[in-house]
Amino acid sequence: MTAPKAAAASTSAAGAPAAGKALSVTGLTVRYGGVTALNQVSVTVEPGELVGLIGPNGAGKTTFIDAVCGFTRSTGQIRLGGRTLAGLSAGARARAGLGRSWQAADLYDDLTVRENLTVGAYTPDWRRTLKEVVWGRARHDTGVAEQLGITHLLDRPCDGLAAGQRKLVDVARALAGRPDILLLDEPAAGLNTDESRQLAARLRGVVDAGTGVLLVDHDMGLVLAVCDRIVVLDFGRVLAEGTPQQIQRDQAVIAAYLGSSTPPDSARPDSDNARPGERPQSGSSEDDS
């Protein structure tokens, strides 16, 4: 397992000093009625570390992000730095330092890219509101756009963007809020090979500046090339964890991706189309990747 990169004296993509908060998730469990979507999942993301979260369709990866960010009820411990996030709303968790992107890249299409980034940067509380009244609203869009390579798109309306461009804007919008930990849900979806390679370089820049990143993606070339450490989920449980090299050699991981693993009795894929104990077909399209 690789050692986390030092975050001392680092700066975020928006130019502010990195807070150096680690995300620690312990025993995270999500149940929908009698279905256990996540079962005692534990994951850590250190400042300046890029952790991949992979697994077959229906393994629970998006459910994990939803639970950590407060969009899905869960049990277990979620801590950011020294603060527990359990019981907080999604908005409160965002203000505490969590940022995320979405599979669908659901942008405000009637706004420009710059305006979308401004929305992403706005996490209101009374302190920030007071500062904006006195000094005006800070602008972070230029630095974030440079970080993601989308400066040329800033003044374009989002409804005219290509699919790959929308994904980059979605990542930039999440980063505009200057999170301590950024959770990315399939940011490479819709990107071609060259765009995916460029995204890898940009994500490394974000991480090297001190932000911790959890990356969920099916582009294994991207995941293996850019991640410091990888956690593998299968049927809602952690199957393996290690460096990209260790994960590539892990026989349990190979078996899971070939579809030959047997699900635990208490877990099954969190897919409405899957029956208990049945893995979705590789070609199925699910909200939870």
Side-chain angles (χ1 to χ4, degrees):
M1 185 181 300
T2 57
K5 295 178 175 62
S10 62
T11 58
S12 72
K21 296 178 183 177
L23 174 67
S24 176
V25 180
T26 306
L28 189 70
T29 299
V30 175
R31 293 187 175 91
Y32 301 113
V35 175
T36 302
L38 292 175
N39 194 343
Q40 296 291 315
V41 173
S42 298
V43 176
T44 60
V45 182
E46 297 289 340
E49 182 184 31
L50 205 163
V51 178
L53 184 65
I54 66 172
N57 285 337
K61 303 182 295 297
T62 294
T63 296
F64 179 86
I65 292 180
D66 287 343
V68 169
C69 293
F71 293 95
T72 294
R73 289 185 178 182
S74 64
T75 59
Q77 187 179 80
I78 304 170
R79 298 185 69 86
L80 184 62
R83 181 181 182 183
T84 181
L85 302 184
L88 297 182
S89 67
R93 297 186 195 200
R95 289 190 292 272
L98 289 183
R100 71 165 296 176
S101 69
W102 303 83
Q103 284 186 13
D106 192 10
L107 305 176
Y108 297 100
D109 284 336
D110 55 339
L111 302 181
T112 65
V113 170
R114 188 188 304 276
E115 290 167 335
N116 269 265
L117 300 190
T118 300
V119 171
Y122 188 57
T123 53
D125 56 30
W126 70 267
R127 294 182 183 85
R128 177 162 295 186
T129 300
L130 180 61
K131 289 180 180 178
E132 290 177 354
V133 169
V134 176
W135 290 292
R137 180 169 296 178
R139 298 292 297 274
H140 308 296
D141 46 34
T142 301
V144 172
E146 290 175 353
Q147 190 79 14
L148 272 297
I150 58 171
T151 305
H152 61 293
L153 300 176
L154 279 174
D155 296 312
R156 289 182 55 180
C158 287
D159 61 359
L161 299 180
Q165 293 172 329
R166 293 179 67 86
K167 297 296 292 189
L168 291 176
V169 172
D170 190 36
V171 174
R173 183 175 60 178
L175 192 60
R178 294 180 292 176
D180 298 296
I181 300 293
L182 182 61
L183 299 97
L184 301 178
D185 198 353
E186 298 194 30
L191 303 186
N192 60 37
T193 301
D194 289 338
E195 290 171 332
S196 181
R197 188 179 299 113
Q198 293 170 8
L199 175 63
R202 290 162 186 158
L203 289 181
R204 279 293 356 157
V206 170
V207 171
D208 292 342
T211 302
V213 174
L214 180 78
L215 172 66
V216 169
D217 212 283
H218 289 291
D219 185 339
M220 291 310 299
L222 170 66
V223 172
L224 293 171
V226 78
C227 290
D228 301 307
R229 185 162 49 88
I230 296 174
V231 178
V232 184
L233 288 182
D234 192 31
F235 292 108
R237 293 186 178 183
V238 174
L239 179 66
E241 179 178 354
T243 65
Q245 295 76 19
Q246 291 169 334
I247 292 301
Q248 289 182 86
R249 297 192 299 265
D250 192 296
Q251 293 302 311
V253 175
I254 295 172
Y257 270 96
L258 291 175
S260 60
S261 63
T262 301
D265 292 337
S266 60
R268 73 172 178 88
D270 40 339
S271 166
D272 293 337
N273 297 323
R275 295 187 298 273
E278 178 185 52
R279 184 189 307 282
Q281 297 299 312
S282 58
S284 66
S285 59
E286 311 176 70
D287 289 339
D288 192 314
S289 55

